[in-house]
Amino acid sequence: MSKRNVGFSSYLRDFLSSKIGLAGLIILIILLIFTGIALSIPAKVYASWNNPASWNEYPEHVPPSWLSIFYPNEYFTTKELSPTNISLYSLAKNIYVAVITYQFNWSKALPAYNVYFIASTNVTPIEEVIYWSKPDGYTLQINVPSGVFNVPFDLTSIRGSILSYISSVTGKTPNIVNSTVLSSALFNSPKTNFTVTEQGSYVVKIEIVSSLPMNITKSSLLLLGNSYGLMGTDYFGRPLDLGVLLGLPNALEIGALTSLVAVVVGVFVGGISGYLGGNKDSAIQWVTLVFLALPALPFLVAVSFVTQPNLEIEALLIAFLSWPFYAIIARSMALSIKSNSYVEADKLLGIPSYRVFFTHFMPRLIPITVAYMALGVPAGILLAQTLAFLGIAPANIVTWGGILDAAETYQAQVNGWWWWVVFPGAMIVIVAIPFVLIGFAIERVTLGER
């Protein structure tokens, strides 16, 4: 081993001169910036993640929107339209009518993924009718059920009139009724049995009838795209980029806490064991091996089912099973330090054992402790995400393992929803990279080239 300068400034200089250490530090800083962004998101967004009703106006299980760059004819994003005209008038006493008109030009080769109608008034309507006019001049009249007045609703809420239209054209009712089938009826030509989209100018009029004078308090029309955001959406329409971002602080917290506790405990126990030697060393090693032999995953699954831990308790449970690895490494280093002449000299001079340990052993164990703390973070994150994938995670938090668990439940792989699996899985790998690079760099700085 080459002779080297010691001291924090020397270690820091050597670390920053290391390419892998510097690369890991830059990636870590970027992750911390995104963590700050995630922590600034309002708490109600976290709470709404597990409430499917909060994502009704988002397209469900669609791929990322950047696919439209490569496939402009196949993918498009959501378009929100404002009314081109709103007219209010009275037909007779106690009969008031509002007509909200939308006009848009549709040039896509595919129909909208779904259509959301948002029309609210200051009174309760007695009737609401939609007139959907196609480029060929045909106008479809859609009666809105009374139960959906004054709340946003999509095509599935008004399926009755659309299914009747499909049956009148095709002579049969579709076996599967979803937003795609219903939207095809509105955008596709009946002359092609709803297989070819009619491109051109569409006019949509929403007629609202009330027994009281009314004002339109809110109105817009959402033509949902078949792609969304940076990472697409899941089965409930939840944006996966938001889920990945929300899961970042939790992953870093549990990884850092797990590694900190496991390494500190393991290095201290291993250092004491190597320093004491003899029967005490044998006893500590026996206990260490007992903990090391515990099957980590089944043990954590069993304990988690019983205790329903929060994030901090789960981190401590993982650390409880991880410290023996570091204790074995620290013990071997302590045995090496113990053989040095200055340790023997202190003993001969009658210096107390605890002072010898904290004077000669801990200063030499701490640098490698820092290195293994960095290397231990990915292991903690991976184990925590594995538990979440198995459905065992602290309540009311967003985890990448939990997103992958939902993807498996709804058979994302079978249905070809690759983005639901790829991005959360990739984040588990990406977040581990800086800690591995930093750990290797610290290890190389403290121990030199080996």
Side-chain angles (χ1 to χ4, degrees), residues 100-250:
I100 307 172
T101 304
Y102 300 92
Q103 288 182 309
F104 63 91
N105 188 65
W106 192 257
S107 59
K108 308 297 181 184
L110 296 172
Y113 186 84
N114 198 350
V115 180
Y116 256 88
F117 301 88
I118 302 172
S120 300
T121 69
N122 59 331
V123 298
T124 301
I126 57 177
E127 184 181 60
E128 197 166 331
V129 181
I130 298 171
Y131 298 95
W132 186 280
S133 298
K134 295 186 173 187
D136 64 1
Y138 178 80
T139 298
L140 173 63
Q141 178 178 329
I142 304 172
N143 297 317
V144 180
S146 59
V148 297
F149 286 162
N150 273 341
V151 294
F153 59 90
D154 69 343
L155 297 180
T156 59
S157 300
I158 52 176
R159 67 179 68 188
S161 298
I162 302 175
L163 289 176
S164 298
Y165 172 54
I166 295 174
S167 299
S168 66
V169 173
T170 64
K172 59 183 179 181
T173 303
N175 295 325
I176 299 175
V177 178
N178 52 33
S179 60
T180 303
V181 173
L182 298 173
S183 183
S184 296
L186 296 185
F187 284 88
N188 290 355
S189 171
K191 297 177 181 177
T192 61
N193 226 16
F194 301 120
T195 58
V196 177
T197 300
E198 289 189 55
Q199 298 178 342
S201 179
Y202 286 76
V203 178
V204 180
K205 293 185 178 181
I206 301 176
E207 184 180 270
I208 304 172
V209 180
S210 171
S211 60
L212 296 171
M214 61 179 161
N215 292 318
I216 303 300
T217 57
K218 189 176 182 181
S219 60
S220 63
L221 187 67
L222 291 181
L223 306 178
L224 298 193
N226 58 2
S227 62
Y228 187 87
L230 185 63
M231 299 181 182
T233 64
D234 66 6
Y235 184 82
F236 303 103
R238 298 179 296 193
L240 289 173
D241 49 3
L242 177 63
V244 167
L245 184 62
L246 295 179
L248 181 58
N250 303 323

Side-chain angles (χ1 to χ4, degrees), residues 59 89 205 214 217 290 338 374 397 423:
Y89 56 92
K205 293 185 178 181
M214 61 179 161
T217 57
V290 168
K338 188 178 180 181
I397 69 169
F423 294 116

Side-chain angles (χ1 to χ4, degrees), residues 41 51 69 105 149 167 237 252 269 300-301 348 400 413 428:
I41 295 175
N51 180 17
I69 299 175
N105 188 65
F149 286 162
S167 299
L252 291 179
V269 172
L300 290 172
V301 169
L348 292 174
W400 300 328
Q413 302 90 330
I428 297 175

Side-chain angles (χ1 to χ4, degrees), residues 17 65 87 133 177 234 242 287 308 312 328 331 336 354 418:
S17 63
S65 60
S87 60
S133 298
V177 178
D234 66 6
L242 177 63
V287 174
Q308 295 293 319
E312 288 75 18
I328 292 174
R331 176 180 175 272
S336 175
Y354 75 87
W418 54 268

